[in-house]
Amino acid sequence: MDWNLRPARDLGLTPADRLRSLGREPGLVGLAVNTAWRRAVRAYLRTAHSFRIEGQDNLPRSGPFVMVANHASHLDALALSAALRGPAARRAHALAAGDLFFANSARAALSAYAINALPVWRGRSRRGDLDTMRARLAEDSLAYILFPEGTRSRTGEMAPFQPGLGMLVAGTDIPVVPCWLEGAREAWPAQSRLPRPGSPLTLTIGSPLHFPETRNDRTGWEAVSSQAEAAVRGLAPFRQGGAQTAPGGQKPPEPA
């Protein structure tokens, strides 16, 4: 094996800047904290929400890849992360709203070391930030957890996907793994400060999508997001948008 040595991406940054850096690398302490956090989250989801995963064989064994899903709860990123194992789990980063998860030093430390999140600054992210994340995804064989709606749904209805997903993968063979979370909004709705134990939670993982021939421009980005959105909607127990169908292609029963 040929060694490719390079300085750490966050070399020379102050501790505060390192927490919010898109080039942050975990180090031994970060890996230990993140491993302990993931085990605790898995145990909580199993006991408090009877967490089930369907289609786990569709997950790649290692990066790079991107997991995308509907977004209605703070449990969403935790549930997707809990489905990962091995190298993919250790190299997974949730892309989180910087103004919320990195608003102060305490939140930034929790988000960086426990959740292993990377900040996305809503309304002020630069093209260079997405270029950095695109490069890291491929070069460091990472797994990104991304919610292309951009914010949590307050109603449970999924909003259209934004084109940022396409900026990460268009013109590459990096898989995009569509997922559907059922029950997350009931388990931890946006208006609640804490989750509600007892509400069941199910994660359905679909077949990966690939976009190697898609142009890396606005048209291509929108095509990626549109196809990924359709794949995610297609995993819902009752289809969102258009005619609703129950699993197996049957229409849901009419209300009495």
Side-chain angles (χ1 to χ4, degrees), residues 207-234:
S207 300
L209 309 173
H210 298 265
F211 302 95
E213 305 301 325
T214 304
R215 293 168 52 183
N216 186 22
D217 58 16
R218 169 65 63 172
T219 300
W221 304 335
E222 292 177 350
V224 170
S225 294
S226 177
Q227 292 180 50
E229 178 187 334
V232 171
R233 290 183 186 274

Side-chain angles (χ1 to χ4, degrees), residues 91-145:
R91 293 176 177 269
H93 293 275
L95 304 187
D99 56 307
L100 178 61
F101 289 90
F102 291 84
N104 55 52
S105 296
R107 286 188 181 183
L110 176 65
S111 300
Y113 289 116
I115 307 173
N116 207 23
L118 293 177
V120 177
W121 302 96
R122 292 182 290 197
R124 58 188 178 98
S125 287
R126 299 168 297 178
R127 172 65 189 271
D129 295 335
L130 283 166
D131 289 343
T132 297
M133 288 189 286
R134 178 182 171 106
R136 283 206 69 190
L137 177 62
E139 294 170 8
D140 297 348
S141 296
L142 301 182
Y144 284 164
I145 294 171

